[in-house]
Amino acid sequence: MISWTVVALVLITAFANLVGGLIVVRKKWSARSLNYLMAFSAGFLLTIAILDLIPEGLDDASGNAVFILFGFLTVFAFQRILTTHFHFGYETHKEKLSQKTAGLGAFLGMGIHSFFDGVSIVAGFEVSGALGFLVFTAVLLHKIPDGLTISSIILAAFDDRKKAFIASAVLALSTILGGGIVWIVSHTGIAPEGVSESFARMGLSFSAGVFLYVAATDLLPVVNQSENRRIGLFVLLGVIVFYFASSLIGIVGLE
């Protein structure tokens, strides 16, 4: 996989954050449509974390399991300990965000999350083109909801549409920064020979923990709380699409 293609894919996922921010600033999606998207993302994220990221990250390096836990706990710490209020989707209870520190805490947590989105994509391509494309797809699926989430939280906290859009732009820049750091370490000779792949596998393990947390605690609760039974089918659809994408990648020779 040529480097400029990887750069382009990271930029595409970052742009999706901006799209989510623009949707909040300019128009709203229906709650049902957003819930379907989050359910689909949950199924895809869980599947790629369990079937691809974890096996690849632990390949000949079982000690990397600690990075899975570290990734899970890192997002947990930023979103649940340092933040007083956080969830995916449109923020509808403005009174819960009366303190601006809550909005800033959510912003910090999602910034860390976005940083490791970029890490995940580039680390995936360092292992194989097939895995890289799957990680890119998984990240892209939740990037618009990310932009929707942070923009709606900041809009509710500060009542400022400009700040809401800037928040989504910062998430986009965080994604680019995360991918850029992994690329620099892997391609500029900073790391000794053989260290690049080890670093990539540690990144994949950490990303698996992040994906598991996002899917299990941010996305699936939305599915479980919904009275719409069809939303559960979109979780299964995410799993099916993962298998389809994985098979298609193998067919076209990216393995």
Side-chain angles (χ1 to χ4, degrees), residues 22-100:
L22 284 173
I23 290 174
V24 168
V25 172
R26 294 183 175 274
K27 63 180 293 187
K28 280 191 175 183
W29 282 5
S30 69
R32 175 179 295 183
S33 297
L34 185 58
N35 286 346
Y36 285 156
L37 178 59
M38 287 189 287
F40 182 87
S41 299
F44 200 103
L45 286 172
L46 281 174
T47 308
I48 191 172
I50 294 172
L51 297 185
D52 261 342
L53 296 185
I54 292 177
E56 289 286 357
L58 300 183
D59 186 30
D60 293 328
S62 59
N64 282 348
V66 69
F67 291 102
I68 300 173
L69 179 62
F70 187 46
F72 190 98
L73 293 178
T74 296
V75 185
F76 169 78
F78 277 100
Q79 292 188 179
R80 303 299 174 182
I81 297 176
L82 301 180
T83 305
T84 58
H85 178 77
F86 179 91
H87 70 261
F88 270 64
Y90 277 105
E91 183 55 61
T92 56
H93 305 291
K94 187 172 181 177
E95 68 277 8
K96 292 183 180 180
L97 280 175
S98 57
Q99 296 182 348
K100 293 183 179 180

Side-chain angles (χ1 to χ4, degrees), residues 208-228:
V210 172
F211 280 19
L212 289 174
Y213 184 91
V214 171
T217 69
D218 287 329
L219 300 178
L220 284 179
V222 176
V223 176
N224 293 333
Q225 292 171 9
S226 175
E227 297 181 357
N228 182 358

Side-chain angles (χ1 to χ4, degrees), residues 154-234:
I154 296 300
L155 182 61
F158 294 91
D159 194 24
D160 188 323
R161 291 182 179 273
K162 182 178 180 180
K163 289 181 179 178
F165 179 72
I166 290 175
S168 67
V170 172
L171 293 195
L173 291 175
S174 295
T175 301
I176 295 171
L177 178 62
I181 288 176
V182 177
W183 190 89
I184 289 171
V185 170
S186 301
H187 293 86
T188 60
I190 293 177
E193 186 177 354
V195 172
S196 296
E197 184 172 343
S198 298
F199 182 76
R201 293 191 185 279
M202 286 187 285
L204 290 176
S205 299
F206 189 97
S207 300
V210 172
F211 280 19
L212 289 174
Y213 184 91
V214 171
T217 69
D218 287 329
L219 300 178
L220 284 179
V222 176
V223 176
N224 293 333
Q225 292 171 9
S226 175
E227 297 181 357
N228 182 358
R229 294 184 177 181
R230 286 184 295 179
I231 191 173
L233 297 177
F234 279 78

Side-chain angles (χ1 to χ4, degrees), residues 230-247:
R230 286 184 295 179
I231 191 173
L233 297 177
F234 279 78
V235 177
L236 300 179
L237 180 62
V239 176
I240 293 171
V241 169
F242 169 85
Y243 276 104
F244 175 78
S246 182
S247 300

